[in-house]
Structures are given as C-alpha cells and as structure tokens.
C-alpha cells in the first residue's frame, strides 16, 4: 500500500511539474495568462441555455473553469463551468486559428478560459458555443480531484472550500441559498420599518448571553477586551436612543466546543422593536420564516432530515411547564421549592449542580424530555426567571418571564423576550449573575454599568429576538451540519 502511494505521489509530482513547464513556455512566448487583467463576459452558461431561442446564431462571451476536454484532431470539445452551471464549447482549428488551436490542446483541466463564439445546437441536441476565440485567463498549477469520484473527504472539503465549490455543484447551491436567506431577511425587515445597524465586536464586557467569551489584549490602550457573544446590549442602547426598530446581522464568538450545530464563530441576527412584547415577536417570527422559506425554496413547506415541516400553519405555542408536563409527565406547578425540584431530579436521574434552583431544574427536565419531540414549528413560552436575566417578569407569576424559544427539528432556532426595562430590577439580576460568576459559572454575565445607565435614562416597552442564521440556513437547505453552511468553518490546524 505504501509503495502504491509513493508511485501515485511521484505521478502527481510529475504532472505538477509539467503544468509549471507549460506556464514557463507560455511566459517565454509572451502569452503569460497572469498578465491579463480583464475579460468581458456577456452571458453565463444557464443564461444561454434558458434563452437559446433568442440567442441561437448570436455571438456570446463566456468565461469559466475548464472541467473536461476531448481533443479530436482538427476539432475538440471542452466543458466550461461558471457561476451558474456549465456549457459545452466546440473548438475547431479553422475557427480559432492554427496557433491558438495548438495552444488550446496544451491547456489543462482546471485552467480558466474566456470563450467568444456563436451559440448553436449540436447534432445530439446539446446547446453549445462554437468558439471563434479562446483566451487563457489563468493557468491552474494544481490538479483537481478526479471527477468521477469528486471531492468526498469531508475534512478536505472544509479546509479547501474553494475546491469543494468547484467539484460539488450542490455545495455551491447551498451557499447561493444562504445568501438568499440573508437578503430575504433584510428585505422583509426593511419593509417592516426596521433599520439595519452595526455594533462593536470588540467589547470590554461581553454580555447578553450565557456563554464563555474569547479574550484578547488591545495593545494601544493596554486593556483586556473580549469578542462579543451577543448583539443585545448595544442594540437596546439604540432603542433607548429613540431608534424604535433596529436589527443587526453579524458574527458573534463563543469560546465553546465544536459539533454538528456549533461553531465558535457564527452568524446571529438580533432585532429590537419598541412598544411591543414577546407576543409581537412570535408574530414576527412566524411571518418572517414563512417569507424566507417562500423566497428561498419556493414553498412554505420544507423538508429537513426526512421530516416535512409546514410553515403555513399557525405555530404551536406552549409554556415550558406544560411542555414538561406533556412529555415528562411532571407538573412543576405542583413543585414549590428548590428542595422539591432537586428531589424530583434525583428520582429521574437528572444531574444538577449545587447552584441550580427550581427554575434551572425545570429547564433541565425540558432539555432531557422535551426538546427531541419539537419537530414541527413551536414556541416554548414563559421560562423560569433563573435562566432569563434580561427578561421582563410575568406580572401574574413573577417566578416566570415573558420569554420564548422557537424550536424546529428539536433545535432552538430563536430566542426572544419582552425586554426588561426596569433598571432597578436589572441591577438585581446582574448582582445575581455576579454571584454565579464568583461560584465558578464562566457563562454568567458581568454587570454592565453603562447599560444600566441607559436603562435609567429610560427604555420603552420592547420586544427583542435573536435568530441563529446558520441553523436557519441548515433548515432551508437540508444540510446535516453547521460546517456545511459555513464557507470556512473553524478547523484544527493540520500541524497540531
């Protein structure tokens, strides 16, 4: 096996050497492709195929990567792949000239070509371009994976996404859809009167979520900074400032593990709307998901991992207590103390920490018994106050808050609140978080004095929500892992 691998490596090295020799020859003859600065493209491959009746007999210019070549004496065929697809090119010596044809025969799969020629249909009915000129725009000095097997090794695909995009058309389609998801969100929110804003990524106090931040040193100020874990606290400052509807789509960073649904940097969308509450956020979420699904997939019914999810129907709304009662057959309305909750957890073999109180244990029951069942779109509402430090209490039951998490496929897809705007209550919540920090909870929030000052200035009743864009894209593209919807996911260094 080792001997066979050595032979393959020698063959590859020889092929790479030949490519460099071809480039050197082109450069010596004044035909260096890397000196070309532009090429005017008039059409893409699918444009020609979709509008053949209009374009037949017309001259077009296309450009792309040569993925196939078959030389047949005085005439040859090749296939050019561009942004939208691929198209066959007929290259004849009498049409492009003897010297150009001689050059063309030496071009390699992977080279980038510009083709000008007439649109026609072959005898077998394939729409093609009859080349009148062929221009080498870039010489590929590397060898693409063998086309029949493609690029299938997932580690290589993620590390060399540029090759993955060349070899796997469905991957390119996924990222085209990702762009459509984000543009559709913007289109919908802009039409609802929201304003897109940008807030700092480097912060002195990373708050707004329960997560461990990345830390860095800012040399110019000789101070420690953190990468943001959330967009929340700065966006709320803008609500205080009178910007009644704001949103931001941006990267956030959490110093946590890697798995099929988590990457240390990911895209979050948060929005805040003055004078509404979490019910308003539920309505917005339903309408936004339907709109994006229709724009991106053409339907309000999507399929993920074999499960069909109908977004056209009203989304179910159920309290966390009722959801736990439904699936775990435990009624937390009958649990009146942390001691009772811990006893219940012991009976159900649910592990908890010393710092966990009744509300924390309710959430542990929810995670253990409920989440996996939440396949169809559903809002889990009214969370315990212990796990919701930035949320307004329910007036009729202050042990719980006006919060919801939106679930599909057993995943949390969004998190929303009636935002806490009482600065005195907020300070008490921060103080409780500081005690958790002191007890060793690295995900608890620090007190943010400037944010408290903003609340003292006065924030109107506000609804806010955070969407995980990457999970939304996974759902809209039926992608199994978050790395499949991140162009360049975080990877361990090869030399580690």
């Amino acid at each position: 096996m080792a001997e066979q691998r050595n032979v393959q490596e020698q063959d590859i090295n020889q092929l790479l050497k030949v490519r460099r020799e071809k480039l050197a020859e082109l450069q010596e003859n004044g035909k260096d492709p890397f000196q070309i600065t532009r090429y005017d493209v008039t059409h893409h491959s699918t444009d020609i195929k979709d509008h053949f009746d209009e374009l037949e007999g017309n001259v077009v210019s296309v450009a792309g990567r040569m993925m196939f070549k078959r030389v047949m004496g005085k005439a040859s065929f090749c296939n050019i792949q561009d942004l939208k697809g691929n198209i066959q090119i007929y290259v004849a010596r009498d049409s492009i000239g003897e010297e150009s044809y001689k050059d063309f025969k030496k071009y390699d799969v992977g080279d980038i070509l510009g083709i000008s020629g007439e649109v026609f249909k072959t005898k077998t009915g394939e729409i093609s371009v009859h080349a009148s000129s062929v221009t080498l725009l870039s010489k590929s000095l590397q060898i693409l994976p063998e086309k029949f097997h493609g690029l299938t090794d997932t580690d290589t695909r993620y590390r060399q996404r540029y090759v993955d995009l060349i070899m796997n058309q469905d991957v390119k389609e996924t990222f085209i859809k990702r762009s459509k998801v984000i543009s559709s969100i913007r289109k919908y929110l802009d039409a609802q009167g929201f304003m897109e804003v940008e807030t700092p990524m480097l912060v002195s106090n990373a708050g707004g979520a329960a997560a461990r931040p990345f830390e860095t040193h800012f040399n110019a100020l000789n101070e420690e900074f953190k990468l943001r874990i959330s967009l929340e606290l700065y966006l709320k400052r803008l609500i205080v400032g009178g910007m009644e509807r704001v949103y931001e789509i941006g990267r956030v960073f959490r110093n946590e593990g890697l798995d099929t649904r988590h990457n240390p940097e990911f895209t979050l969308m948060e929005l805040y709307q003055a004078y509404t509450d979490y019910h308003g956020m539920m309505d917005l979420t339903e309408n936004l998901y339907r709109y994006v699904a229709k724009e991106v997939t053409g339907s309000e019914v999507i399929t993920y991992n074999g499960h069909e999810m109908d977004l056209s129907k009203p989304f179910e709304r159920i309290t966390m207590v009722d959801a736990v009662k439904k699936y775990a057959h435990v009624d937390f309305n009958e649990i009146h103390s942390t001691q009772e909750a811990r006893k219940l957890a012991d009976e159900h073999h649910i592990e908890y920490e010393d710092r966990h109180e009744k509300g924390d244990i309710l959430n542990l029951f929810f995670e253990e018994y409920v989440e996996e069942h939440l396949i169809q779109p559903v809002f889990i509402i009214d969370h315990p106050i212990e796990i919701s430090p930035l949320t307004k209490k329910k007036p009729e039951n202050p042990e719980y808050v006006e919060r919801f998490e939106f679930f599909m496929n057993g995943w949390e897809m969004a998190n929303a609140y009636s935002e806490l705007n009482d600065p005195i209550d907020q300070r008490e919540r921060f103080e409780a978080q500081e005690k958790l920090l002191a007890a060793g909870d690295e995900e608890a929030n620090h007190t943010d004095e400037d944010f408290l000052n903003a609340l003292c200035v006065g924030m109107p009743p506000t609804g806010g929500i955070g969407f995980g864009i990457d999970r939304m894209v996974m759902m809209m593209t039926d992608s199994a892992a978050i790395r499949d919807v991140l162009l360049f996911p975080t990877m361990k260094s090869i030399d580690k």
Side-chain angles (χ1 to χ4, degrees):
M1 182 64 108
E3 184 178 341
Q4 183 181 3
R5 189 161 54 244
N6 288 335
V7 171
Q8 289 175 340
E9 288 177 357
Q10 290 174 6
D11 290 344
I12 290 172
N13 289 335
Q14 181 59 33
L15 290 171
L16 293 175
K17 181 183 177 186
V18 169
R19 290 199 177 204
R20 290 184 181 271
E21 289 171 350
K22 288 180 180 180
L23 174 63
E25 182 182 348
L26 287 165
Q27 291 170 330
E28 288 171 9
N29 294 328
K31 298 176 180 178
D32 186 353
F34 300 124
Q35 295 296 317
I36 296 174
T37 57
R38 64 177 290 169
Y39 187 83
D40 292 328
V41 175
T42 63
H43 295 79
H44 281 92
S45 54
T46 52
D47 299 333
I48 296 169
K49 293 177 180 179
D50 292 344
H51 301 94
F52 174 74
D53 291 342
E54 304 163 33
L55 292 173
E56 184 179 13
N58 292 352
V59 173
V60 298
S61 293
V62 296
R65 191 176 301 275
M66 183 165 64
M67 300 300 292
F68 167 82
K69 184 177 75 167
R70 184 169 78 248
V71 177
M72 303 181 301
K74 298 178 182 179
S76 303
F77 285 95
C78 69
N79 190 285
I80 295 297
Q81 178 175 293
D82 59 19
L83 172 68
K84 297 183 179 180
N86 60 78
I87 192 165
Q88 179 173 271
I89 309 296
Y90 175 65
V91 184
R93 185 189 67 181
D94 294 344
S95 298
I96 67 170
E98 191 166 340
E99 183 177 353
S100 292
Y101 190 66
K102 183 180 177 182
D103 289 339
F104 170 78
K105 290 196 292 183
K106 294 181 180 179
Y107 296 160
D108 294 301
V109 168
D111 290 350
I112 297 176
L113 307 180
I115 309 288
S116 181
E118 189 175 297
V119 177
F120 79 110
K121 189 178 286 187
T122 65
K123 291 178 181 178
T124 59
E126 184 165 357
I127 296 169
S128 308
V129 175
H130 185 156
S132 55
S133 69
V134 177
T135 306
L136 180 63
L137 302 175
S138 182
K139 181 67 185 169
S140 175
L141 301 178
Q142 188 55 271
I143 299 168
L144 293 176
E146 194 271 311
K147 187 165 185 181
F148 179 75
H149 296 99
L151 181 62
T152 56
D153 178 72
T154 53
D155 189 74
T156 303
R157 285 181 52 223
Y158 298 143
R159 292 184 189 278
Q160 298 182 21
R161 183 67 85 186
Y162 42 91
V163 180
D164 191 23
L165 291 167
I166 294 167
M167 301 306 300
N168 297 315
Q169 190 63 32
D170 57 334
V171 172
K172 186 185 290 185
E173 286 299 318
T174 292
F175 288 104
I176 290 171
K177 284 185 176 179
R178 180 188 175 100
S179 180
K180 287 181 179 178
V181 166
I182 294 173
S183 65
S184 297
I185 291 171
R186 287 193 167 106
K187 188 176 176 183
Y188 179 83
L189 292 178
D190 291 349
Q192 299 298 313
F194 283 86
M195 176 169 34
E196 185 173 11
V197 297
E198 295 170 306
T199 61
M201 292 190 184
L202 269 180
V203 295
S204 57
N205 186 353
R212 183 188 302 172
F214 288 93
E215 299 181 1
T216 187
H217 184 77
F218 185 16
N219 293 335
L221 295 180
N222 193 28
E223 290 185 12
E224 301 303 316
F225 275 72
K226 299 177 178 67
L227 291 174
R228 67 185 181 186
I229 60 173
S230 169
L231 313 174
E232 180 168 347
L233 300 185
Y234 280 98
L235 291 176
K236 285 182 178 177
R237 286 168 167 90
L238 298 181
I239 295 290
V240 170
M243 294 184 172
E244 295 181 0
R245 298 188 182 202
V246 293
Y247 76 96
E248 181 174 7
I249 299 173
R251 283 293 173 109
V252 296
F253 309 86
R254 297 182 182 180
N255 198 350
E256 299 171 346
L258 292 162
D259 61 31
T260 56
R261 284 184 283 163
H262 295 89
N263 195 71
E265 57 173 314
F266 61 97
T267 303
L268 187 64
M269 191 274 284
E270 290 196 34
L271 66 85
Y272 293 85
Q273 179 180 341
Y275 311 114
T276 191
D277 62 3
Y278 73 142
H279 293 289
M281 292 296 100
M282 282 185 249
D283 294 339
L284 185 147
T285 301
E286 281 198 42
N287 293 330
L288 176 62
Y289 257 79
R290 290 185 190 121
Y291 179 83
V292 172
K294 192 73 181 291
E295 288 285 303
V296 174
T297 72
S299 172
E300 292 178 353
V301 179
I302 63 174
T303 301
Y304 185 84
N305 194 28
H307 296 294
E308 188 175 276
M309 289 167 270
D310 190 347
L311 303 178
S312 67
K313 298 176 181 177
F315 297 179
E316 182 185 3
R317 305 182 183 194
I318 182 173
T319 68
M320 182 177 282
V321 169
D322 286 344
V324 168
K325 184 177 179 180
K326 178 178 179 180
Y327 293 104
H329 310 296
V330 173
D331 188 355
F332 267 78
N333 286 323
E334 303 300 322
I335 306 300
H336 302 293
S337 69
T338 296
Q339 186 177 358
E340 288 180 65
R342 288 177 176 175
K343 182 182 177 186
L344 195 63
D346 292 336
E347 292 170 358
H348 286 77
H349 308 290
I350 291 179
E351 295 183 6
Y352 56 87
E353 299 176 24
D354 290 341
R355 62 183 174 85
H356 283 152
E357 299 182 21
K358 173 188 167 184
D360 298 294
I361 293 171
L362 167 62
N363 189 52
L364 292 174
F365 268 85
F366 173 78
E367 292 173 352
E368 178 69 24
Y369 286 99
V370 181
E371 285 189 2
E372 63 180 311
H373 299 287
L374 306 180
I375 304 301
Q376 295 301 317
V378 57
F379 295 114
I380 300 297
I381 67 173
D382 299 350
H383 291 51
I385 193 169
E386 291 90 341
I387 62 170
S388 311
L390 298 167
T391 315
K392 189 170 284 191
K393 296 174 185 175
K394 292 184 69 65
E396 72 279 10
N397 190 356
E399 288 187 7
Y400 296 91
V401 297
E402 294 191 348
R403 173 185 175 187
F404 74 77
E405 289 174 294
F406 172 49
F407 279 83
M408 289 174 65
N409 191 52
W411 300 350
E412 178 204 335
M413 305 297 293
N415 187 21
Y417 313 149
S418 295
E419 301 297 335
L420 180 60
N421 61 344
D422 178 346
I424 298 170
D425 189 354
Q426 181 65 79
R427 181 173 290 281
E428 291 173 355
R429 309 273 191 101
F430 275 139
E431 288 172 354
Q433 289 284 299
E434 292 285 0
K435 289 178 182 176
L436 292 175
L437 273 171
D441 183 357
E442 295 179 326
E443 296 185 347
N445 286 192
H446 281 284
T447 301
D448 189 326
E449 291 293 347
D450 182 71
F451 176 66
L452 287 170
N453 184 61
L455 292 187
C456 286
V457 172
M459 186 174 87
T462 298
I465 190 166
F467 287 90
I469 296 296
D470 306 305
R471 290 187 188 179
M472 189 179 197
V473 175
M474 289 173 68
M475 204 68 62
M476 298 293 172
T477 59
D478 199 10
S479 298
I482 191 171
R483 289 182 175 185
D484 295 326
V485 299
L486 296 175
L487 280 167
F488 301 102
T490 302
M491 304 286 288
K492 187 175 183 179
S493 299
I494 295 176
D495 57 354
K496 295 292 185 182

